[in-house]
Amino acid sequence: MVSDGATRSWWGWGTLEEALDSGETDALVSRTAALMPSQDLTVHAPPVVDDDLLPARRVTPPPSLDHLCSVDPVDRAAHTHGKAFRDIVRNLRGDLANAPDLVLRPRTEADVVAILDWCSGADVAVVPYGGGTSVVGGVEPRLDGDFAGAVSLDVSAMDQVLEVDRTSRAARIQAGVLGPHLEDQLRPYDLTLRHFPQSFAYSSLGGWLATRAGGHFATLHTHIDELTESMRVISPYGTGESRRLPGSGAGPSPDRLFLGSEGTLGVITEAWMRLQDRPQWRAGSSVHFADWASAVEAVRHLAQSGLHPANCRLLDPAEAFLNAGVSVGGGVLVLGFESADHPVDAALERAVEICHDLGGILAGASPPGGARDASASTWRSSFLRMPYQRDALVQRSVIAETFETATTWDRFPALHAAITTAATDAVREVCGVGVVTCRFTHVYPDGPAPYYSVYAAGRWDGLVSQWDEVKAAVSEAIVAHGGTITHHHAVGRDHRRWYDEQRPEPYAAALAAVKRALDPAGILNPGVLL
């Protein structure tokens, strides 16, 4: 739910009111000019959206669905792309060739059934849409196959917490609710879902479930999967609901079929989610390392220690300098602990000891009560502003995008070297000038999830093709060295060809068979996963 009075940007991230102010913009442009002295930083404003900018509508809904339908040009434009770099570029250039014919906003499950019935019979593709924050082409009607048209099925009107089980700490929640509105509804019960992806303010529960989203916390319940008790999904075949259970060994999990299905097998309408008491105790610090390998080794020891830090985010020197304002030789580790039950100072103290044994130097610590040290606070502020900074850079023809993966600890050094080399070489060849940074977003006992950022000089008339070349080089390196093509950003259309390589062939055949059974007309998000 966007805050009162705020205007959601149709072309970029978030709201117009939260975009960079003049001071932030001037500082960003100054840093960019210093990094890329020859870059043309001319600002490109978004176009005015009207019917002339959009393709003609190809389908007309039956009268029974008219009250759910929008053909407003800005609404159609806003539902054309997600929020990846290449999406923002195309929006700014007025490339809306794949705009949906209609935006349909169901208010009830009966509405969803009626929409799927019409679309199945009329050969109209349906792209489920929650908050629209996909960065992998997951909500774009870029269709495989011949369809009469395409609609964006926006579930944002279905946004209520319907039931709370305080005893079991669970709630039945509609899929269209955005992060802040969800937490507002849970707050009177002193409960939280405790799932905070960077897109939290503008992404939906249904989107998190459909993409197996990762939250902000570095260990334990990192993915939405682990917070899911049961799900309710509507497909053209029918409506299915799994049983609420804390655990079950009764065959393959029905929920696992739809978690990560990205709208291809059905429309998630609600779910029972596992909740937690709100944290009362917090403690954190940042640790500096002179050597990257030692920093990585310290994080491995922490991940395998059983301490379960809430935050265990390792920034390489470039990431630390650009986004935390810290100059360091090996990296900065941002540590944080929290609990609803007990103080966490002892856990932080032990974590710092582990880091110290591997050459880490304590750089700052939070006092009791949870205030963050300077490095952590600076990085967190930058983290929350990154999407807005990205948009401002795109407007000035700068490539600013990310990619992420996960691997086991034994494979990480080779994978990291391969990715860094592939990205650096591709940036040099395609752009001439650029920087590649790395940070760990999540860590597990058996491996890390490294997250890479690329900042490179671009050409306004070639930004999409430039990024696509860099992305392809990096993706090939990831798959060749045993990483996953995505840890938490989903597959969408942009990762499809590498997902095909990662996915076992028998599983691909089984998934295709499930698709045929649940969606005989093949209308649900064509081109995603399959």
Side-chain angles (χ1 to χ4, degrees), residues 248 364 373 388 398 421:
S248 174
D373 68 89
Y388 292 104
V398 175
T421 298

Side-chain angles (χ1 to χ4, degrees), residues 334-420:
V334 180
L335 275 172
F337 290 83
E338 65 176 42
S339 173
D341 178 72
H342 54 268
V344 291
D345 303 272
L348 175 62
E349 182 178 350
R350 175 59 191 142
V352 171
E353 287 178 354
I354 291 172
C355 293
H356 182 267
D357 289 345
L358 287 155
I361 299 174
L362 183 65
S366 64
R372 296 178 179 87
D373 68 89
S375 297
S377 295
T378 301
W379 190 88
R380 177 177 169 80
S381 297
S382 179
F383 173 76
L384 295 174
R385 300 297 283 161
M386 281 177 189
Y388 292 104
Q389 295 171 355
R390 185 276 310 268
D391 287 0
L393 291 172
V394 175
Q395 287 188 279
R396 291 160 176 81
S397 305
V398 175
I399 294 173
E401 187 57 307
T402 63
F403 53 91
E404 38 79 39
T405 184
T407 190
T408 52
W409 289 112
D410 62 313
R411 293 179 177 178
F412 173 71
L415 177 69
H416 179 64
I419 289 175
T420 303

Side-chain angles (χ1 to χ4, degrees), residues 92-321:
L92 288 170
R93 294 178 64 84
D95 178 3
L96 301 173
N98 293 326
D101 297 279
L102 312 167
V103 177
L104 290 164
R105 290 184 171 86
R107 300 167 188 168
T108 65
E109 288 191 345
D111 291 339
V112 175
V113 171
I115 291 169
L116 295 185
D117 284 349
W118 167 58
C119 291
S120 292
D123 196 28
V124 174
V126 178
V127 179
Y129 186 102
T133 58
S134 170
V135 293
V136 292
V139 297
E140 178 183 352
R142 190 194 326 157
L143 304 178
D144 284 357
D146 187 18
F147 293 88
V151 301
S152 180
L153 195 158
D154 185 329
V155 297
S156 58
M158 303 169 68
D159 67 348
Q160 296 301 301
V161 173
L162 301 174
E163 188 175 351
V164 175
D165 174 358
R166 188 65 179 83
T167 302
S168 307
R169 291 198 316 191
R172 182 165 67 98
I173 307 166
Q174 290 184 305
V177 67
L178 301 188
H181 189 37
L182 168 58
E183 289 296 323
D184 286 345
Q185 294 179 79
L186 295 177
R187 194 166 285 108
Y189 301 93
D190 203 27
L191 293 170
T192 176
L193 182 61
R194 199 178 177 269
H195 184 77
F196 302 108
Q198 188 179 29
S199 62
F200 170 76
Y202 306 106
S203 54
S204 69
L205 173 64
W208 302 341
L209 295 167
T211 60
R212 298 183 66 193
H216 174 74
F217 296 101
T219 65
L220 283 181
H221 305 304
T222 61
H223 276 77
I224 198 69
D225 313 33
E226 298 148 315
L227 304 176
T228 304
E229 194 174 61
S230 74
M231 294 171 62
R232 188 169 171 87
V233 184
I234 298 176
S235 72
Y237 176 85
T239 300
E241 181 175 5
S242 58
R243 182 171 296 189
R244 282 188 65 201
L245 295 167
S248 174
S253 166
D255 294 331
R256 289 285 175 176
L257 183 63
F258 295 103
L259 286 163
S261 60
E262 302 189 32
T264 61
L265 303 180
V267 179
I268 299 167
T269 56
E270 62 181 59
W272 275 93
M273 303 301 298
R274 298 183 175 99
L275 307 177
Q276 299 179 52
D277 295 321
R278 290 186 174 271
Q280 302 297 319
W281 286 270
R282 293 182 175 87
S285 67
S286 59
V287 182
H288 291 189
F289 290 86
D291 175 72
W292 169 254
S294 296
V296 171
E297 186 69 359
V299 174
R300 180 179 71 82
H301 280 262
L302 286 170
Q304 295 173 349
S305 68
L307 293 171
H308 306 307
N311 199 1
C312 189
R313 203 167 297 255
L314 178 63
L315 319 179
D316 78 358
E319 178 76 21
F321 180 73

